[in-house]
Amino acid sequence: MKPLNQLIRQNILSLKPYSSARDEYTGGEAIFLDANENPFNSPYNRYPDPYQRELKEKIARIKGIAAEYLFLGNGSDEAIDIAFRAFCEPGKDNVVAIDPTYGMYLVAADINNIETRKVKLTDDFDLDTDGLLQACDQNTKLLFICSPNNPTGNSFKKEDIVKIIEGFQGIVVLDEAYIDFVPEKSFVHELTRYPNVIILQTFSKAWGMAGIRLGMAFASPEIIQIFNKIKYPYNVNVLTQKKALELLQTEQDMSDWVKVILSEKSKMKERLDGYSFVQKIYPSDANYLLVKTDNAKGIYNYLVNEGVVIRDRSTVTLCEGCLRITIGSEQENQCLYQGLDKYMADN
Ligand SMILES: *Cc1c(COP(=O)(O)O)cnc(C)c1O
């Protein structure tokens, strides 16, 4: 990896961040007349902790990593955007990403006027490690890998990911949004060995908190400090911090939910196998199935009419004819099967 100060944009390196009232006084209980807050309507009258210290301590304990390796944002989408603003000079730098993958990398790149070089997965949805490394040049700052990958559902081999991390001069962004659905270990514990990695995780999937908008980035303390300089001072609001702390007390719920979702996933796979319009169900390590059909658009529209909404991914690279179906509750999945039974009878 290149030294960090050659990867970070000059203006960000020299940036003196906004210093909020809650930055300057970090002690405990006091009478706060420093931030022009309203003294009434507690606790919502107060600005949140800009560094979410209590919440980070709690998450760090759960993840088994020190809190200074952790950044929290308004969804992991915030961390994606900040990575662009930290490392990529608009109009000059570029990023490399697997294709197909999560759509936000490209959108964030476009917003920041950064070229994205897409490198197709193999026909089995595996990483083309040589292709990814060959797509990089001196101005490639970020390389995006998502594992388990959205929408293909598969995880990549650890040795392939390591090969890319070791062969790339810039920062590898490894998106682990679906890691809680797989038995394999997160890469979080390897961060001390690989300082050029940013790992993204989220509370939006297995943790059941998409509505509160809370995402995590794990990286070296040096990178986390850069992220903290760039973010809005109060990027995670009081309600989100409180609710997350509350929900994290019931960690057991999350693993119970995951068990139910995984068992529903095998049931759904079996059920879908029985439909003649299903050509292939790809192996999935996530909470959705990618299903190749003979009429993606027709099935999608039919189900919408039945009140069941799935995702038509048939125009995505390597996903011709494919639908992506999220695993719901047993009851929700029953509604899907009823809709599909009806489609079968009608077609
Ligand atoms: C759903 C998803 C996310 C989550 O984004 P949030 O902003 O945290 O809700 C991130 N990456 C991938 C690949 C996803 O599918």
Side-chain angles (χ1 to χ4, degrees):
M1 147 193 206
K2 287 184 193 163
L4 203 54
N5 61 10
Q6 283 177 33
L7 290 169
I8 295 167
R9 293 165 68 202
Q10 259 324 301
N11 61 313
I12 299 298
L13 270 181
S14 53
L15 175 71
K16 194 176 173 307
Y18 175 75
S19 178
S20 67
R22 290 293 173 276
D23 263 327
E24 288 183 1
Y25 176 82
T26 54
E29 286 298 297
I31 292 171
F32 291 110
L33 303 176
D34 58 346
N36 298 347
E37 295 153 336
N38 188 319
F40 308 111
N41 202 32
S42 173
Y44 309 108
N45 59 330
R46 299 295 171 195
Y47 282 104
D49 174 1
Y51 300 109
Q52 309 99 22
R53 276 163 277 230
E54 190 186 356
L55 181 54
K56 275 187 186 167
E57 282 303 329
K58 177 91 196 162
I59 295 169
R61 263 201 307 280
I62 290 174
K63 299 286 176 183
I65 192 165
E68 64 261 30
Y69 285 81
L70 177 57
F71 167 87
L72 295 179
N74 188 331
S76 26
D77 291 345
E78 181 182 2
I80 294 168
D81 183 57
I82 292 183
F84 278 98
R85 290 195 282 155
F87 294 104
C88 301
E89 198 59 44
K92 178 175 165 236
D93 289 332
N94 66 72
V95 303
V96 167
I98 57 171
D99 184 31
T101 193
Y102 184 47
M104 268 311 286
Y105 316 139
L106 179 63
V107 172
D110 286 346
I111 289 170
N112 288 285
N113 191 22
I114 303 297
E115 176 200 353
T116 301
R117 301 179 174 183
K118 295 179 177 182
V119 177
K120 255 211 286 191
L121 298 175
T122 67
D123 288 338
D124 307 331
F125 296 152
D126 263 334
L127 287 177
D128 173 8
T129 51
D130 293 334
L132 283 160
L133 291 172
Q134 277 158 18
C136 299
D137 65 15
Q138 279 306 306
N139 291 321
T140 307
K141 296 296 176 67
L142 304 173
L143 193 158
F144 286 91
I145 300 174
C146 180
S147 182
N149 188 34
N150 182 358
T152 57
N154 59 312
S155 317
F156 300 118
K157 289 194 281 290
K158 188 174 169 195
E159 64 256 38
D160 286 350
I161 296 174
V162 168
K163 192 174 160 197
I164 290 164
I165 292 170
E166 289 180 341
F168 180 45
Q169 292 291 299
I171 304 286
V172 174
V173 180
L174 180 58
D175 191 337
E176 295 185 338
Y178 299 96
I179 193 73
D180 301 305
F181 296 104
V182 282
E184 282 111 80
K185 272 232 195 101
S186 159
F187 223 84
V188 159
H189 307 283
E190 320 257 347
L191 272 180
T192 43
R193 214 161 8 131
Y194 301 111
N196 64 328
V197 177
I198 297 173
I199 294 160
L200 303 178
Q201 291 187 14
T202 180
F203 285 96
S204 297
K205 308 287 156 68
W207 286 96
M209 299 190 221
I212 72 170
R213 308 306 300 131
L214 187 63
M216 297 163 267
F218 300 87
S220 71
E222 291 76 18
I223 292 177
I224 297 300
Q225 276 165 25
I226 294 289
F227 273 39
N228 283 338
K229 263 170 69 157
I230 298 174
K231 76 180 187 72
Y232 286 144
Y234 304 113
N235 62 326
V236 180
N237 69 67
V238 171
L239 293 169
T240 296
Q241 292 192 43
K242 276 172 74 77
K243 197 68 200 171
L245 272 168
E246 205 180 297
L247 289 166
L248 287 171
Q249 303 302 334
T250 55
E251 203 186 332
Q252 186 55 42
D253 285 353
M254 188 274 256
S255 43
D256 291 348
W257 292 334
V258 167
K259 274 185 212 131
V260 172
I261 291 167
L262 294 181
S263 123
E264 282 299 311
K265 181 166 70 173
S266 9
K267 288 196 310 199
M268 187 183 291
K269 191 176 171 332
E270 230 169 85
R271 186 75 190 239
L272 294 178
D273 260 330
Y275 294 111
S276 57
F277 54 82
V278 169
Q279 294 172 343
K280 180 167 185 170
I281 303 169
Y282 292 92
S284 166
D285 292 320
N287 64 334
Y288 50 85
L289 289 173
L290 188 73
V291 184
K292 199 179 197 64
T293 67
D294 59 12
N295 180 19
K297 214 172 166 51
I299 296 165
Y300 171 83
N301 287 328
Y302 191 93
L303 285 177
V304 166
N305 255 320
E306 297 296 312
V308 178
V309 187
I310 59 174
R311 200 87 200 266
D312 178 5
R313 297 281 78 186
S314 58
T315 57
V316 167
T317 311
L318 300 176
C319 296
E320 202 187 321
C322 286
L323 297 165
R324 192 192 69 192
I325 308 176
T326 306
I327 314 302
S329 66
E330 182 174 9
Q331 220 179 8
E332 290 173 325
N333 300 335
Q334 286 300 334
C335 295
L336 170 78
Y337 310 145
Q338 277 163 23
L340 290 174
D341 288 349
K342 202 156 165 241
Y343 170 86
M344 268 285 265
D346 280 1
N347 284 271

